[in-house]
Short mmCIF file of all heavy atoms in Angstrom, two decimals:
data_model
loop_
_atom_site.label_atom_id
_atom_site.label_comp_id
_atom_site.label_asym_id
_atom_site.label_seq_id
_atom_site.Cartn_x
_atom_site.Cartn_y
_atom_site.Cartn_z
N LEU A 517 96.63 108.28 90.41
CA LEU A 517 97.24 108.63 91.69
C LEU A 517 97.68 107.35 92.41
O LEU A 517 97.07 106.89 93.40
CB LEU A 517 96.23 109.36 92.61
CG LEU A 517 95.60 110.64 92.03
CD1 LEU A 517 94.49 111.14 92.93
CD2 LEU A 517 96.66 111.73 91.86
N PRO A 518 98.76 106.72 91.96
CA PRO A 518 99.19 105.49 92.60
C PRO A 518 99.64 105.69 94.05
O PRO A 518 100.19 106.73 94.40
CB PRO A 518 100.35 105.00 91.73
CG PRO A 518 100.75 106.15 90.88
CD PRO A 518 99.62 107.13 90.87
N ALA A 519 99.35 104.70 94.88
CA ALA A 519 99.72 104.78 96.29
C ALA A 519 101.15 104.28 96.48
O ALA A 519 101.38 103.14 96.91
CB ALA A 519 98.73 103.94 97.14
N ASP A 520 102.09 105.11 96.08
CA ASP A 520 103.49 104.73 96.22
C ASP A 520 104.28 105.84 96.88
O ASP A 520 103.66 106.78 97.46
CB ASP A 520 104.08 104.34 94.84
CG ASP A 520 103.97 105.44 93.82
OD1 ASP A 520 103.88 106.63 94.19
OD2 ASP A 520 103.98 105.13 92.60
N ASP A 521 105.60 105.83 96.78
CA ASP A 521 106.41 106.81 97.52
C ASP A 521 106.80 108.03 96.73
O ASP A 521 107.69 108.78 97.12
CB ASP A 521 107.67 106.08 98.04
CG ASP A 521 108.57 105.57 96.94
OD1 ASP A 521 108.21 105.71 95.74
OD2 ASP A 521 109.64 105.04 97.27
N ARG A 522 106.12 108.33 95.62
CA ARG A 522 106.47 109.49 94.81
C ARG A 522 106.02 110.81 95.42
O ARG A 522 106.44 111.87 95.00
CB ARG A 522 105.91 109.34 93.41
CG ARG A 522 104.40 109.53 93.36
CD ARG A 522 103.80 109.35 91.97
NE ARG A 522 103.88 107.94 91.65
CZ ARG A 522 103.83 107.44 90.41
NH1 ARG A 522 103.66 108.27 89.41
NH2 ARG A 522 103.90 106.18 90.19
N TRP A 523 105.12 110.78 96.40
CA TRP A 523 104.46 111.99 96.88
C TRP A 523 105.29 112.73 97.92
O TRP A 523 105.88 112.08 98.79
CB TRP A 523 103.07 111.62 97.43
CG TRP A 523 102.31 110.83 96.44
CD1 TRP A 523 102.11 109.47 96.41
CD2 TRP A 523 101.67 111.32 95.25
NE1 TRP A 523 101.38 109.11 95.33
CE2 TRP A 523 101.11 110.23 94.56
CE3 TRP A 523 101.52 112.58 94.70
CZ2 TRP A 523 100.41 110.36 93.38
CZ3 TRP A 523 100.81 112.71 93.52
CH2 TRP A 523 100.27 111.59 92.88
N GLN A 524 105.33 114.02 97.87
CA GLN A 524 106.05 114.85 98.85
C GLN A 524 105.40 114.80 100.21
O GLN A 524 106.07 114.85 101.23
CB GLN A 524 106.16 116.29 98.35
CG GLN A 524 106.87 116.45 97.06
CD GLN A 524 108.33 115.94 97.15
OE1 GLN A 524 109.04 116.33 98.06
NE2 GLN A 524 108.73 115.08 96.23
N HIS A 525 104.07 114.74 100.23
CA HIS A 525 103.32 114.68 101.48
C HIS A 525 103.43 113.25 102.00
O HIS A 525 102.88 112.34 101.40
CB HIS A 525 101.85 115.06 101.18
CG HIS A 525 101.02 115.24 102.40
ND1 HIS A 525 100.67 116.50 102.83
CD2 HIS A 525 100.47 114.40 103.27
CE1 HIS A 525 99.94 116.42 103.92
NE2 HIS A 525 99.82 115.12 104.21
N ARG A 526 104.12 113.03 103.09
CA ARG A 526 104.52 111.68 103.47
C ARG A 526 104.00 111.11 104.78
O ARG A 526 104.30 109.97 105.11
CB ARG A 526 106.05 111.58 103.47
CG ARG A 526 106.65 111.80 102.12
CD ARG A 526 108.10 111.42 102.10
NE ARG A 526 108.69 111.77 100.86
CZ ARG A 526 108.72 111.01 99.78
NH1 ARG A 526 108.18 109.82 99.82
NH2 ARG A 526 109.31 111.43 98.66
N HIS A 527 103.19 111.83 105.52
CA HIS A 527 102.71 111.20 106.78
C HIS A 527 101.59 110.20 106.47
O HIS A 527 101.07 110.15 105.37
CB HIS A 527 102.20 112.29 107.75
CG HIS A 527 100.88 112.84 107.38
ND1 HIS A 527 99.69 112.24 107.71
CD2 HIS A 527 100.55 113.96 106.71
CE1 HIS A 527 98.69 112.95 107.25
NE2 HIS A 527 99.16 113.99 106.63
N GLY A 528 101.25 109.39 107.43
CA GLY A 528 100.18 108.41 107.24
C GLY A 528 100.63 107.15 106.52
O GLY A 528 101.80 106.86 106.46
N SER A 529 99.66 106.44 105.97
CA SER A 529 99.91 105.19 105.28
C SER A 529 100.84 105.44 104.06
O SER A 529 100.83 106.55 103.49
CB SER A 529 98.62 104.58 104.77
OG SER A 529 97.80 104.24 105.86
N PRO A 530 101.56 104.40 103.59
CA PRO A 530 102.38 104.58 102.39
C PRO A 530 101.50 105.06 101.22
O PRO A 530 100.44 104.52 100.96
CB PRO A 530 102.92 103.18 102.14
CG PRO A 530 102.92 102.51 103.48
CD PRO A 530 101.71 103.08 104.19
N GLY A 531 101.99 106.12 100.56
CA GLY A 531 101.26 106.67 99.42
C GLY A 531 100.15 107.63 99.80
O GLY A 531 99.40 108.10 98.93
N HIS A 532 100.00 107.95 101.07
CA HIS A 532 98.92 108.82 101.56
C HIS A 532 98.97 110.21 100.86
O HIS A 532 97.92 110.86 100.76
CB HIS A 532 99.00 108.96 103.07
CG HIS A 532 98.07 109.96 103.64
ND1 HIS A 532 96.70 109.82 103.61
CD2 HIS A 532 98.30 111.13 104.27
CE1 HIS A 532 96.13 110.85 104.22
NE2 HIS A 532 97.08 111.67 104.61
N GLY A 533 100.11 110.62 100.40
CA GLY A 533 100.21 111.93 99.75
C GLY A 533 99.26 112.06 98.57
O GLY A 533 98.73 113.10 98.29
N ARG A 534 98.98 110.94 97.90
CA ARG A 534 98.05 110.97 96.76
C ARG A 534 96.67 111.35 97.20
O ARG A 534 95.91 111.97 96.45
CB ARG A 534 98.02 109.63 96.07
CG ARG A 534 97.23 108.59 96.84
CD ARG A 534 97.07 107.33 96.12
NE ARG A 534 96.13 106.49 96.76
CZ ARG A 534 95.04 106.03 96.19
NH1 ARG A 534 94.74 106.35 94.95
NH2 ARG A 534 94.21 105.25 96.87
N ASP A 535 96.27 110.98 98.43
CA ASP A 535 94.95 111.32 98.94
C ASP A 535 94.74 112.83 99.01
O ASP A 535 93.65 113.33 98.87
CB ASP A 535 94.72 110.71 100.35
CG ASP A 535 94.82 109.20 100.33
OD1 ASP A 535 94.45 108.57 99.32
OD2 ASP A 535 95.30 108.63 101.34
N HIS A 536 95.86 113.57 99.21
CA HIS A 536 95.79 115.03 99.29
C HIS A 536 95.67 115.66 97.92
O HIS A 536 95.37 116.86 97.81
CB HIS A 536 96.99 115.58 100.07
CG HIS A 536 96.88 115.28 101.54
ND1 HIS A 536 96.23 116.10 102.41
CD2 HIS A 536 97.32 114.23 102.26
CE1 HIS A 536 96.28 115.62 103.62
NE2 HIS A 536 96.94 114.45 103.58
N VAL A 537 95.95 114.91 96.87
CA VAL A 537 95.79 115.38 95.52
C VAL A 537 94.39 115.10 94.98
O VAL A 537 93.89 115.78 94.09
CB VAL A 537 96.88 114.77 94.60
CG1 VAL A 537 96.73 115.21 93.14
CG2 VAL A 537 98.30 115.10 95.10
N LEU A 538 93.74 114.11 95.55
CA LEU A 538 92.39 113.69 95.12
C LEU A 538 91.42 114.87 94.92
O LEU A 538 90.74 114.92 93.88
CB LEU A 538 91.80 112.67 96.09
CG LEU A 538 90.34 112.30 95.80
CD1 LEU A 538 90.26 111.34 94.61
CD2 LEU A 538 89.70 111.70 97.02
N PRO A 539 91.29 115.85 95.85
CA PRO A 539 90.30 116.89 95.66
C PRO A 539 90.52 117.79 94.45
O PRO A 539 89.61 118.50 94.03
CB PRO A 539 90.38 117.69 96.96
CG PRO A 539 90.90 116.71 97.95
CD PRO A 539 91.88 115.88 97.18
N ALA A 540 91.71 117.74 93.86
CA ALA A 540 91.94 118.48 92.63
C ALA A 540 91.27 117.79 91.46
O ALA A 540 90.94 118.43 90.43
CB ALA A 540 93.42 118.65 92.35
N LEU A 541 91.02 116.48 91.56
CA LEU A 541 90.39 115.71 90.50
C LEU A 541 88.91 115.40 90.80
O LEU A 541 88.09 115.37 89.90
CB LEU A 541 91.15 114.39 90.31
CG LEU A 541 92.61 114.54 89.93
CD1 LEU A 541 93.29 113.18 89.86
CD2 LEU A 541 92.75 115.25 88.58
N VAL A 542 88.62 115.12 92.05
CA VAL A 542 87.25 114.92 92.53
C VAL A 542 87.02 116.02 93.54
O VAL A 542 87.43 115.88 94.69
CB VAL A 542 87.06 113.53 93.12
CG1 VAL A 542 85.61 113.33 93.59
CG2 VAL A 542 87.46 112.41 92.16
N PRO A 543 86.38 117.12 93.16
CA PRO A 543 86.30 118.27 94.03
C PRO A 543 85.52 118.00 95.32
O PRO A 543 84.69 117.09 95.35
CB PRO A 543 85.57 119.31 93.17
CG PRO A 543 84.93 118.56 92.09
CD PRO A 543 85.68 117.30 91.88
N PRO A 544 85.79 118.77 96.36
CA PRO A 544 85.15 118.57 97.65
C PRO A 544 83.73 119.11 97.70
O PRO A 544 83.17 119.27 98.81
CB PRO A 544 86.07 119.25 98.61
CG PRO A 544 86.68 120.33 97.83
CD PRO A 544 86.84 119.79 96.44
N HIS A 545 83.14 119.41 96.57
CA HIS A 545 81.80 120.03 96.55
C HIS A 545 81.04 119.66 95.29
O HIS A 545 81.64 119.27 94.25
CB HIS A 545 81.92 121.54 96.65
CG HIS A 545 82.74 122.11 95.52
ND1 HIS A 545 82.20 122.44 94.32
CD2 HIS A 545 84.07 122.33 95.41
CE1 HIS A 545 83.17 122.87 93.52
NE2 HIS A 545 84.32 122.81 94.18
N ALA A 546 79.74 119.79 95.36
CA ALA A 546 78.87 119.68 94.18
C ALA A 546 77.60 120.46 94.44
O ALA A 546 77.15 120.57 95.60
CB ALA A 546 78.52 118.21 93.90
N THR A 547 77.01 121.02 93.42
CA THR A 547 75.75 121.74 93.50
C THR A 547 74.80 121.12 92.48
O THR A 547 75.15 120.97 91.33
CB THR A 547 75.92 123.26 93.24
OG1 THR A 547 76.88 123.76 94.19
CG2 THR A 547 74.62 123.98 93.34
N ILE A 548 73.60 120.77 92.97
CA ILE A 548 72.62 120.06 92.16
C ILE A 548 71.31 120.80 92.18
O ILE A 548 70.85 121.18 93.25
CB ILE A 548 72.46 118.62 92.70
CG1 ILE A 548 73.79 117.89 92.70
CG2 ILE A 548 71.41 117.83 91.88
CD1 ILE A 548 73.87 116.70 93.55
N PRO A 549 70.66 121.00 91.03
CA PRO A 549 69.37 121.63 91.01
C PRO A 549 68.30 120.79 91.75
O PRO A 549 68.34 119.56 91.72
CB PRO A 549 69.00 121.74 89.54
CG PRO A 549 70.24 121.43 88.78
CD PRO A 549 71.13 120.63 89.71
N VAL A 550 67.39 121.50 92.40
CA VAL A 550 66.25 120.88 93.08
C VAL A 550 64.99 121.47 92.48
O VAL A 550 64.86 122.73 92.44
CB VAL A 550 66.30 121.14 94.59
CG1 VAL A 550 65.07 120.61 95.28
CG2 VAL A 550 67.57 120.59 95.18
N VAL A 551 64.11 120.65 91.96
CA VAL A 551 62.84 121.11 91.40
C VAL A 551 61.69 120.42 92.12
O VAL A 551 61.70 119.19 92.25
CB VAL A 551 62.79 120.82 89.87
CG1 VAL A 551 61.43 121.21 89.25
CG2 VAL A 551 63.91 121.53 89.15
N SER A 552 60.80 121.22 92.63
CA SER A 552 59.65 120.70 93.41
C SER A 552 60.13 119.80 94.55
O SER A 552 59.52 118.77 94.82
CB SER A 552 58.67 119.98 92.50
OG SER A 552 58.16 120.86 91.51
N GLY A 553 61.23 120.17 95.18
CA GLY A 553 61.74 119.44 96.33
C GLY A 553 62.52 118.17 96.00
O GLY A 553 62.92 117.45 96.92
N ARG A 554 62.79 117.92 94.74
CA ARG A 554 63.46 116.67 94.32
C ARG A 554 64.74 116.98 93.57
O ARG A 554 64.79 117.93 92.77
CB ARG A 554 62.54 115.83 93.47
CG ARG A 554 61.26 115.40 94.18
CD ARG A 554 60.41 114.54 93.31
NE ARG A 554 61.20 113.41 92.83
CZ ARG A 554 60.97 112.14 93.21
NH1 ARG A 554 59.98 111.90 94.03
NH2 ARG A 554 61.72 111.19 92.73
N LEU A 555 65.76 116.13 93.82
CA LEU A 555 67.01 116.28 93.07
C LEU A 555 66.76 116.11 91.60
O LEU A 555 66.06 115.18 91.18
CB LEU A 555 68.01 115.21 93.51
CG LEU A 555 68.59 115.34 94.91
CD1 LEU A 555 69.36 114.07 95.26
CD2 LEU A 555 69.49 116.54 95.00
N GLU A 556 67.36 116.93 90.79
CA GLU A 556 67.27 116.83 89.33
C GLU A 556 68.45 116.03 88.80
O GLU A 556 69.31 116.56 88.09
CB GLU A 556 67.18 118.21 88.70
CG GLU A 556 65.83 118.85 88.73
CD GLU A 556 64.81 118.07 87.87
OE1 GLU A 556 64.91 118.11 86.63
OE2 GLU A 556 63.89 117.47 88.47
N LEU A 557 68.51 114.78 89.16
CA LEU A 557 69.57 113.89 88.69
C LEU A 557 69.10 113.13 87.48
O LEU A 557 67.92 112.91 87.29
CB LEU A 557 69.94 112.88 89.78
CG LEU A 557 70.59 113.42 91.05
CD1 LEU A 557 70.70 112.33 92.09
CD2 LEU A 557 71.96 114.03 90.73
#
Side-chain angles (χ1 to χ4, degrees):
L517 304 171
D520 58 24
D521 64 357
R522 72 183 71 201
W523 308 101
Q524 298 300 310
H525 190 104
R526 295 192 187 273
H527 75 83
S529 297
H532 173 66
R534 75 174 191 121
D535 300 326
H536 288 273
V537 178
L538 173 76
L541 301 175
V542 181
H545 58 87
T547 301
I548 302 162
V550 175
V551 176
S552 299
R554 299 181 55 111
L555 290 171
E556 280 294 291
L557 293 172

